[in-house]
Amino acid sequence: MPNSNAKLHSNHRGGREASRRELVSRSLQSAQHCLENQDFGTAYAHYLLVLNLAPELKATVKETFQFTLFKWAEELDSLARIQDLFNCYEQALELYPNDEVICNSMGEHLFRMGFRDEAAGYFHKAVKLNPDFADAKENFYRVANWLVERWHFIMLNDAKRNLTYLRAIENAVRSGSRSVLDIGTGTGILSMFAKKAGASFVYACELSKTMYELARDVVAANNMEREIKLLHLKSLDIEIPKHIPERVSLVVTETVDAGLFGEGIVESLIHAWEHLLLQPK
């Protein structure tokens, strides 16, 4: 009797597997037929079914799936079905999370719609996945030019200003400030000054996704990624001990420019003084 039950289960599994293969085969045929008739939406739905039923076919159908996705996305864009477009890309990235071509295409749609910071994130990911992907590199540099304010370049090339910051941070660290918070870190230059000056713990926050990613790259290029904790946060949202373990002994910032009040720096510094900075005894 046990052998009979095992045989029944085996037959049942075999029947289900045969049904799965048949459904996958028919869906692939239907997808191809839809592509021939330029019915990209239906073809995309068939490919989703195939990839969910047969993940082992991901490599085989990858290029055709990409083509179908991009064509369907163009239609959705032309129909102003923006949420449906984003949903399709989210589904595609769940299936191919490390596909630089899909990431780059998602970024291009976001950029055209005005979501430049979000677009930069996808372009950056695409470049990280494939540093030789020329289209993604060009797109990332293009969007970075929109997002990295010109005064960043002016400040980075202001040797006198930077030397003044460096000396002030060095003096503070030598006087006993061992933990530092850099508000609006930008490229991370002040955080690196603090670490080179000998600070034991350095934390840096940056609200802009593009500048945050840029700071990560700059810090990593200087071999300090393990010594500086970067937070993609507004300073007003930093919580102890959730984001940093305790109050810091020094707060630095380079957001004091022509946009002093527009940047909310006064509010940020008051918040840092009250909640994040060690109080004098």
Side-chain angles (χ1 to χ4, degrees):
M1 193 70 176
N3 289 337
S4 177
N5 287 335
K7 186 175 181 180
L8 285 172
H9 284 301
S10 177
N11 289 338
H12 182 61
R13 286 195 300 270
R16 284 191 303 178
E17 177 60 21
S19 297
R20 182 187 74 90
R21 288 198 301 265
E22 177 66 19
L23 181 55
V24 168
S25 177
R26 288 185 178 182
S27 293
L28 283 172
Q29 291 175 9
S30 297
Q32 187 60 42
H33 178 72
C34 290
L35 286 178
E36 291 170 359
N37 290 284
Q38 298 189 344
D39 183 359
F40 300 114
T42 307
Y44 175 76
H46 280 299
Y47 277 119
L48 281 184
L49 178 61
V50 167
L51 290 168
N52 280 287
L53 287 174
E56 67 273 13
L57 294 178
K58 281 184 179 180
T60 304
V61 304
K62 180 178 177 179
E63 290 188 9
T64 311
F65 175 76
Q66 288 175 341
F67 172 80
T68 306
L69 168 67
F70 300 156
K71 287 294 186 180
W72 179 226
E74 288 176 6
E75 283 192 25
L76 292 173
D77 193 7
S78 68
L79 296 169
R81 292 171 56 182
I82 305 306
Q83 189 57 55
D84 289 336
L85 184 153
F86 287 151
N87 289 341
C88 287
Y89 273 97
E90 287 176 4
Q91 292 167 339
L93 287 169
E94 285 180 7
L95 293 166
Y96 296 95
N98 296 317
D99 188 291
E100 70 273 18
V101 178
I102 295 177
C103 286
N104 183 65
S105 180
M106 175 66 158
E108 289 176 338
H109 281 286
L110 286 165
F111 184 77
R112 285 196 294 270
M113 294 173 191
F115 300 106
R116 291 168 182 159
D117 209 10
E118 293 82 355
Y122 281 98
F123 293 145
H124 186 265
K125 182 179 179 180
V127 173
K128 285 287 188 182
L129 290 167
N130 182 1
D132 297 324
F133 189 5
D135 287 349
K137 286 198 292 187
E138 182 180 343
N139 283 332
F140 180 68
Y141 295 143
R142 179 161 55 100
V143 74
N145 284 332
W146 282 91
L147 293 171
V148 180
E149 293 87 346
R150 292 297 179 265
W151 51 264
H152 273 289
F153 300 108
I154 296 171
M155 289 195 300
L156 287 172
N157 287 284
D158 189 338
K160 183 177 180 181
R161 174 190 177 103
N162 293 336
L163 184 59
T164 301
Y165 267 105
L166 174 60
R167 287 174 176 169
I169 291 171
E170 286 176 338
N171 289 336
V173 172
R174 288 168 185 164
S175 298
S177 297
R178 308 303 296 174
S179 56
V180 180
L181 171 64
D182 180 5
I183 295 177
T185 192
T187 59
I189 187 171
L190 298 189
S191 295
M192 291 188 291
F193 282 171
K195 195 61 198 178
K196 287 182 178 179
S200 301
F201 306 99
V202 180
Y203 312 99
C205 64
E206 175 57 55
L207 181 59
S208 165
K209 177 68 172 176
T210 301
M211 293 308 300
Y212 167 75
E213 296 289 355
L214 179 60
R216 287 182 61 184
D217 287 345
V218 172
V219 168
N222 285 272
N223 299 313
M224 293 187 181
E225 64 269 31
R226 295 183 180 180
E227 300 175 316
I228 298 173
K229 182 176 181 180
L230 287 165
L231 303 167
H232 181 215
L233 284 173
K234 189 176 182 180
S235 62
L236 297 172
D237 295 329
I238 295 177
E239 300 177 14
I240 298 173
K242 182 178 179 181
H243 301 113
I244 60 177
E246 58 188 4
R247 287 174 178 257
V248 298
S249 50
L250 176 67
V251 171
V252 296
T253 185
E254 202 172 7
T255 50
V256 183
D257 70 327
L260 176 62
F261 297 101
E263 296 231 15
I265 188 60
V266 174
E267 183 182 6
S268 295
L269 291 176
I270 291 173
H271 174 79
W273 171 262
E274 293 178 346
H275 301 287
L276 306 175
L277 190 66
L278 284 171
Q279 298 299 311
K281 296 181 180 179

